[in-house]
Amino acid sequence: MGSLPGTDVAEAQRIVLGELPQLPHLAELPARGPGAELIGRGAAFLVDLPIELYAGRWRVAARPGRDLRHALDLRERDLDQLTEQADGYVGPVKLQAAGVWTLAANLDVGLGGRLVRDHGAVRDLAASLAEGLRAHVADVTRRVPGAKVLLQLDEPALPAVLAGAVRTDSGLHTYRAVAASVARDLLAEVIATVGVPVVVHCCAPAVPLALLRAAGAVAVAVDLDLVTDLDPLGEAIDAGLGLFAGAVPGTPRQPGAAPTSAQAADAVRTLWSKLGFPAQRAAAQVVVTPACGLAGATPAYARTALAACRDAGRRLAEM
């Protein structure tokens, strides 16, 4: 899904290209600290909206400073490794970035509080993010001319934003819920601007599948263990939405347990059977993935998990 353990980006990118030759991605290493984790890395894509660290949180800043330069430097190192190691590669390449609503729910404004409380500011955030991601896609396309870029927007906070469950700094109150139509329209603006197919990843309960489809996402990435209502998922898949099926745990369920491709493929087959779709359709519409990022795993587990996803995909192709 993007993140891997450790701090060696060269090794991480080698693992990705070696284990996932048909759908490699730009490796992310949150263990490197601020600027490499979801919010700092994602907010560094913003155009004309500089960010800085304050009391351990990211906030909108008056001007670019050291914290933003550090986040941009980390991203440049990542891109340099992708450029070098994917030289001559032809095929899909996935990029990842925090989505507009997850940034809005986690970025502070100068006067305090989260940006999500100001809908006008969120509109500016969406336009800024869209332009930054469009430039990012163009940069990767120049660096890896054979790449067909696929963008993954990480939106773990979207269900909480829609439910009015994002807490204020005090923890005693929550910000007002964002209307589904507003969330859809701003997400659609970002998707339309980047100009490449977009997958929305949400490893939280109550993923708003109809909203994501209406916004223009070509696929949704979910943790299968969190899918409790099959009807919305079945409707979305029947309408053509792709499924990045999180069938491999991000960390071992039991100490020392290693995921297997058979277990992952069986999880997808079971879901597919419950949904009532023809078995052969899964091969064309499903990508097997970890349930979420692998940053919390050991390097050995992460490599095994990626291999299990790859081989489970091959098993599905034989259904």
Side-chain angles (χ1 to χ4, degrees):
M1 296 315 296
S3 66
L4 291 169
T7 59
D8 186 342
V9 66
E11 176 62 13
Q13 199 61 61
R14 278 194 291 271
I15 290 172
V16 168
L17 288 165
E19 300 295 344
L20 306 174
Q22 293 180 306
L23 183 55
H25 63 269
L26 179 63
E28 301 174 8
L29 301 178
R32 291 180 295 178
E37 40 43 86
L38 178 65
I39 302 305
R41 182 180 179 278
F45 287 112
L46 298 173
V47 174
D48 297 329
L49 274 178
I51 54 167
E52 64 183 2
L53 276 172
Y54 179 77
R57 291 187 56 84
W58 289 100
R59 71 177 184 180
V60 177
R63 62 187 61 85
R66 178 181 59 187
D67 298 327
L68 177 57
R69 288 194 297 271
H70 178 64
L72 293 173
D73 180 61
L74 289 174
R75 189 172 80 207
E76 189 67 17
R77 295 181 200 176
D78 297 346
L79 289 169
D80 286 345
Q81 283 299 321
L82 178 66
T83 304
E84 177 183 338
Q85 296 190 36
D87 183 37
Y89 173 81
V90 176
V93 172
K94 183 167 69 67
L95 310 176
Q96 305 84 220
V100 59
W101 292 108
T102 292
L103 289 177
N106 287 277
L107 280 177
D108 289 347
V109 293
L111 297 177
R114 307 292 162 76
L115 197 145
V116 72
R117 73 181 186 179
D118 184 340
H119 289 186
V122 179
R123 285 194 292 270
D124 292 340
L125 176 73
S128 175
L129 179 64
E131 180 59 25
L133 291 178
R134 184 201 61 77
H136 181 48
V137 167
D139 185 21
V140 172
T141 301
R142 286 192 298 269
R143 289 169 176 266
V144 187
K148 296 180 179 179
V149 174
L150 176 71
L151 176 65
Q152 173 184 307
L153 292 177
D154 292 317
E155 285 284 17
L158 180 56
V161 167
L162 294 170
V166 178
R167 293 200 169 274
T168 60
D169 289 343
S170 70
L172 300 176
H173 305 284
T174 58
Y175 295 104
R176 60 178 173 165
V178 172
S181 59
V182 174
R184 177 201 63 212
D185 290 348
L186 291 190
L187 187 56
E189 177 184 337
V190 175
I191 290 173
T193 300
V194 297
V196 295
V198 170
V199 178
V200 179
H201 173 220
C202 184
C203 51
V207 179
L209 297 168
L211 184 155
L212 299 180
R213 181 162 55 90
V218 300
V220 61
V222 299
D223 179 347
L224 293 190
D225 284 345
L226 299 180
V227 176
T228 57
D229 188 354
L230 295 183
D231 288 343
L233 181 59
E235 291 171 5
I237 291 174
D238 195 43
L241 194 69
L243 176 64
F244 279 49
V248 173
T251 54
R253 288 197 172 104
Q254 297 178 344
T260 68
S261 60
Q263 291 169 336
D266 285 346
V268 177
R269 287 192 189 104
T270 298
L271 172 70
W272 211 247
S273 176
K274 290 179 179 178
L275 293 172
F277 293 121
Q280 61 271 24
R281 183 172 172 178
Q285 210 163 344
V286 177
V287 176
V288 183
T289 74
C292 206
L294 294 169
T298 65
Y301 181 90
R303 188 189 291 268
T304 301
L306 294 181
C309 291
R310 178 198 65 219
D311 294 341
R314 292 173 179 167
R315 287 173 177 265
L316 291 180
E318 298 169 355
M319 287 174 61

